Amino acid sequence: MCSSDLIEGETPTGLGALPIHEVGRNGDVFPIEAGKLLPAGGYINWGSMHIHPTAAPGADRYARMDVGFKLHPKGYVPTREFRAYTFGRTEIQVDAHQTNEREDAYFVAPAHMKLTNYEPHMHANGVRFCLQAAYGRVVQTINCSGYDHNWVRNYQYEENFEPLVPKGTVLHAIGWFDNSAKNVNVADPRNAATFGNGSLSNMFIMFNFAEFLTDEQYKQEVAKRKEFLALTGEENIGCPACYLPEPKPQPQRANAPARSEEHTSELQSL
C-alpha cells in the first residue's frame, strides 16, 4: 500500500494530496473544472510505502512504479475546489472465526458536494462495503460493492451521475468483514484482527474525493441534473434536490390594506 503527496515548490498553490495508490488500483480522472496544479519545481513524494518481505532470507526485492499525467491545455485555471473527504474508523476489531462482523462510520457534509468517486478501503478480511446518504428523513443507498484486497478498485462516477449532496447530508459507510476459514485472504482465522497498516490487520476507510460547491454552483448543478433526468428518464440517485419543484414567486396582493405607522409601532411594542 502506498499513498502520494504532491509537494509544492516555491509557488503557493494550495494543492494538497493526490489520491492513494495501491496494488491493482485503476487511475484517477479529475473533474474538468477542478484539475490538480503541478507547480514548477515541485515533486511527488511517496509518503507511505511498503513491500511485503520475500520468502527467501537475504534475497533482494525489486519494484518499479511508473507515474503518468494527462495535462490540460496551456493557460488552464481551475474554477472549482476539489479535495478529499476521507473518513472511517480505527477502533475496530474482527473476532476470530467471525463471518459477518459489521462496522459503521459517518461524515457530515460541511458544504454542498458533488461526489466524484467511490473508493472503499479494507484489508484481508474485508468483503463488502456500502455508502448511504441521509437527507433529512430520507436514506438512500449510493453505492455497494464487494471487496478483495488483492485488487483494490477506485470507482469513478460518469458525468451526470455524480451524487449531488447538500450541506448537512450525513454520509454513512457500512463495512462487512469475514475472519473465517471461508475467506481465502485470511492467513489464520484463529486470530482476532484489529486496525493496522499490515494487510492481515484491518482498515475501514472511504478514500473519496468531491467538488465542494458554493450555493450558486450547487443550484446550477441541480438545474443541470434535472434537465438530464427529464430528457433521459434515468432514475434519480444521489440528488435529493432534484425531487423538489422550482420555487414560485409569491404574488403580492394588490388590495392588501396598508398598515398605518401607529399600528406598526403598536405591534412592535407587543
Side-chain angles (χ1 to χ4, degrees), residues 14-267:
L15 297 172
L18 289 171
I20 194 167
H21 292 276
E22 302 181 83
V23 174
R25 186 185 184 280
N26 47 314
D28 297 283
V29 179
F30 300 106
I32 295 296
E33 298 173 319
K36 287 286 187 177
L37 298 179
L38 303 174
Y43 60 93
I44 295 175
N45 174 54
W46 304 102
S48 174
M49 188 171 185
H50 71 259
I51 297 176
H52 293 291
T54 181
D60 292 331
R61 191 75 178 265
Y62 297 97
R64 170 176 171 167
M65 182 174 293
D66 296 319
V67 181
F69 296 100
K70 182 178 180 180
L71 304 179
H72 287 280
K74 186 177 180 180
Y76 167 84
V77 177
T79 58
R80 293 191 177 183
E81 184 181 8
F82 173 75
R83 53 190 170 93
Y85 66 99
T86 298
F87 70 103
R89 290 188 62 181
T90 57
E91 66 284 7
I92 60 177
Q93 174 174 311
V94 182
D95 295 327
H97 303 293
Q98 295 301 307
T99 61
N100 195 32
E101 292 241 355
R102 170 175 165 169
E103 295 287 349
D104 297 82
Y106 302 87
F107 176 87
V108 179
H112 308 306
M113 297 166 61
K114 181 180 181 181
L115 312 188
T116 59
N117 78 317
Y118 162 70
E119 185 174 354
H121 182 80
M122 308 167 89
H123 277 188
N125 46 42
V127 293
R128 188 163 178 80
F129 209 115
C130 288
L131 179 65
Q132 293 181 333
Y135 331 96
R137 293 178 296 174
V138 177
V139 178
Q140 189 175 55
T141 298
I142 303 298
N143 293 101
C144 273
S145 65
Y147 186 86
D148 184 345
H149 197 53
N150 293 306
W151 197 252
V152 179
R153 306 304 293 164
N154 168 39
Y155 304 91
Q156 304 242 186
Y157 298 111
E158 294 183 2
E159 186 179 2
N160 295 313
F161 291 93
E162 307 98 326
L164 297 170
V165 300
K167 180 180 179 180
T169 297
V170 178
L171 295 174
H172 176 201
I174 312 169
W176 286 269
F177 300 82
D178 183 350
N179 196 30
S180 73
K182 294 189 299 182
N183 186 347
V184 297
N185 291 333
V186 174
D188 191 343
R190 297 174 300 174
N191 296 326
T194 57
F195 184 89
N197 289 329
S199 293
L200 298 183
S201 299
N202 269 332
M203 283 194 178
F204 173 51
I205 305 172
M206 295 296 305
F207 285 131
N208 283 12
F209 281 76
E211 292 183 56
F212 286 71
L213 307 174
T214 64
D215 290 345
E216 186 58 34
Q217 289 171 339
Y218 179 69
K219 291 177 182 177
Q220 292 172 358
E221 289 289 346
V222 170
K224 176 184 174 183
R225 184 64 53 84
K226 281 185 173 182
E227 182 180 357
F228 171 78
L229 295 175
L231 289 173
T232 63
E234 290 282 353
E235 184 178 0
N236 177 18
I237 298 177
C239 181
C242 291
Y243 290 112
L244 302 177
E246 291 293 332
K248 297 181 179 179
Q250 296 295 323
Q252 187 173 2
R253 290 184 299 170
N255 298 325
R259 290 180 175 177
S260 66
E261 293 184 3
E262 292 181 1
H263 184 60
T264 302
S265 298
E266 182 182 349
L267 289 175

